[in-house]
Amino acid sequence: MTDLLWPGDQRAGDLMNDSAFLAAMLTVETAWLTGLVDAGVAPQAARADLTGLVSDSDAEALAVHAERDGSPVIGLVGLLRQRSGAETARWLHRGLTSQDVIDSALMMCVRDALSAIRAQITQQVSTLAELAETHHTPVLARTLTQPALPSTVGALLANWLSGVLDAAGTLAALPALPVQAGGATGTLAAATELTGSAEVALALAARLAFALGLAAAPPWHTTRTVITRVGDALVTCCDAWAHIANDVATRSRPEIGELAEGNGGRSSTLPHKSNPILSVLIRRAALSAPPLAATLHAASAASVDERSDGGWHAEWATLRTLTRRTVVAGAQASELLAGLTIDAERAATNLAAAGDVLAEQRSMTELSRQSALSGYTGAADRLIDVVLQRARHHIAETK
């Protein structure tokens, strides 16, 4: 999958694209049908692997058909019934509703994307921890765009690292992604009627969750907290990467020149330029992520009755876009950090030319009546160590 208007989209590969979503829906239908057979509700003759009956070549027709029905599931079920045996056609999708299939498939796609993002963050933590531990280069700290105090590159990198670790923590705090298996109104009425028992119907839902690698959960048709929490976690990741990108883009300006991307981008007309393209693209993702998450919250707030009339539908493409863009930004951030270059000489020059950045130190020395300490970087080294300890703990947990 490529997107001319979102350079780098190919980095997300098949994660949460049409092909992955179609495959996930087929897996949901197959797993539910298998559960009906295994429970003795449907006959053995109904057992079938539905995943091979529909392919990517059917996606266009299903998408067109979806406009009439409001979702791609009805067309998908119709196609499966046309292409399967009589008993399979009779029993597939029985006890499910379109929301069960779409929500469960979305959770499967999100799970795979989150796994990729977590792997990116673990790589970034390792890279940043190594850089922060080894770079004691003096550098000018700036506040409100102006020279402030002396600092170190290690302190700058530790600040980035802290943000990435916070993002990792937000991802870790997400609840296990739940299955959706509630039937038409979230009461499992059809499944209970088919099985003759509420307990068996609930067991079918739990078995579906296990088969799909999702968490067993009560139906959540119009309680969309899981969607908004995922969206917020993705935005937090983009925020952390944008902080890095903002600093790199700013400090790579020729008049500053303290940081640079390993491979700058070209200009179409200015051959002398080396543009911080990775930083630009990461910032682009971070600027667009919050509005997407806000749409997920608006959709959640529009929840009504036992299935929303528009709010639910607004989630699908929004969640996919936000998820894929976060995967892309994460890969770009990893590449940016891996190729980051630090110009210690330029940093020293800028610090020396910044003017009187030790005025605060003199006033503190006068108050304390102690001799001035060299460097005036305070507890920076200790603070770096605190962040590095967090990083080591994260790395150990992910092994």
Side-chain angles (χ1 to χ4, degrees):
M1 183 173 181
T2 58
D3 187 341
L4 284 173
L5 297 180
W6 198 263
D9 181 71
Q10 75 283 352
R11 291 177 183 258
D14 292 333
L15 291 172
M16 216 162 180
N17 64 6
D18 282 353
S19 178
F21 182 60
L22 178 57
M25 289 195 295
L26 288 167
T27 300
V28 173
E29 293 285 2
T30 298
W32 181 258
L33 178 62
T34 299
L36 291 176
V37 174
D38 289 346
V41 177
Q44 286 293 330
R47 188 185 299 275
D49 182 357
L50 306 173
T51 58
L53 298 181
V54 176
S55 68
D56 290 349
S57 61
D58 296 305
E60 181 70 22
L62 289 172
V64 172
H65 198 285
E67 183 181 12
R68 186 181 69 188
D69 303 317
S71 93
V73 176
I74 297 172
L76 175 63
V77 170
L79 203 56
L80 289 171
R81 286 179 174 152
Q82 291 174 19
R83 296 177 181 179
S84 59
E87 285 299 310
T88 298
R90 181 181 175 212
W91 284 97
L92 74 85
H93 196 71
R94 299 302 182 187
L96 290 180
T97 190
S98 57
Q99 182 155 14
D100 295 331
V101 179
I102 287 177
D103 283 354
S104 294
L106 283 174
M107 291 298 97
M108 294 168 66
C109 292
V110 168
R111 175 197 61 205
D112 295 343
L114 289 178
S115 178
I117 294 168
R118 289 186 177 104
Q120 292 166 351
I121 284 182
T122 297
Q123 177 185 344
Q124 293 161 14
V125 168
S126 295
T127 301
L128 278 169
E130 183 178 350
L131 289 171
E133 195 167 17
T134 57
H135 280 281
H136 305 288
T137 304
V139 72
L140 177 65
R142 300 171 177 86
T143 61
L144 303 181
T145 75
Q146 301 302 302
L149 294 172
S151 185
T152 66
V153 172
L156 174 69
L157 297 168
N159 198 14
W160 295 353
L161 176 56
S162 183
V164 173
L165 288 167
D166 287 345
T170 302
L171 291 175
L174 286 173
L177 298 178
V179 75
Q180 180 75 277
T185 61
T187 62
L188 279 166
T192 301
E193 189 70 21
L194 286 172
T195 63
S197 165
E199 288 70 24
V200 177
L202 290 168
L204 279 174
R207 183 177 295 184
L208 177 66
F210 180 79
L212 300 180
L214 298 174
W220 43 284
H221 282 201
T222 46
T223 301
R224 312 304 288 174
T225 312
V226 64
I227 300 292
T228 56
R229 289 186 70 176
V230 167
D232 292 344
L234 296 175
V235 171
T236 299
C237 292
C238 290
D239 289 347
W241 298 327
H243 181 194
I244 298 169
N246 291 337
D247 279 348
V248 172
T250 299
R251 291 175 183 252
S252 69
R253 295 184 182 205
E255 59 269 29
I256 298 176
E258 296 164 354
L259 301 176
E261 293 185 6
N263 295 299
R266 298 172 298 170
S267 166
S268 63
T269 59
L270 302 173
H272 65 281
K273 292 186 70 180
S274 180
N275 295 321
I277 293 301
L278 288 172
S279 297
V280 169
L281 296 181
I282 293 166
R283 293 177 69 180
R284 160 203 67 173
L287 289 169
S288 66
L292 291 168
T295 297
L296 296 178
H297 280 281
S300 177
S303 294
V304 61
D305 298 326
E306 280 65 51
R307 190 177 307 167
S308 295
D309 53 347
W312 175 51
H313 303 75
E315 291 175 349
W316 311 340
T318 303
L319 183 60
R320 174 173 68 178
T321 300
L322 176 56
T323 303
R324 284 185 62 85
R325 288 182 178 182
T326 304
V327 172
V328 171
Q332 291 166 337
S334 294
E335 182 178 336
L336 171 61
L337 292 172
L340 184 70
T341 61
I342 300 165
D343 191 329
E345 183 177 343
R346 189 59 178 271
T349 300
N350 292 341
L351 181 57
D356 188 7
V357 294
L358 295 179
E360 182 188 63
Q361 182 184 33
R362 289 195 301 275
S363 66
M364 296 301 106
T365 301
E366 290 171 2
L367 286 171
S368 65
R369 298 182 180 179
Q370 295 183 22
S371 299
L373 300 174
S374 62
Y376 200 59
T377 56
D381 287 346
R382 297 289 183 88
L383 296 172
I384 293 169
D385 287 340
V386 171
V387 179
L388 289 176
Q389 185 59 38
R390 286 183 64 197
R392 295 184 191 104
H393 180 70
H394 174 83
I395 294 168
E397 281 191 330
T398 55
K399 284 184 177 179

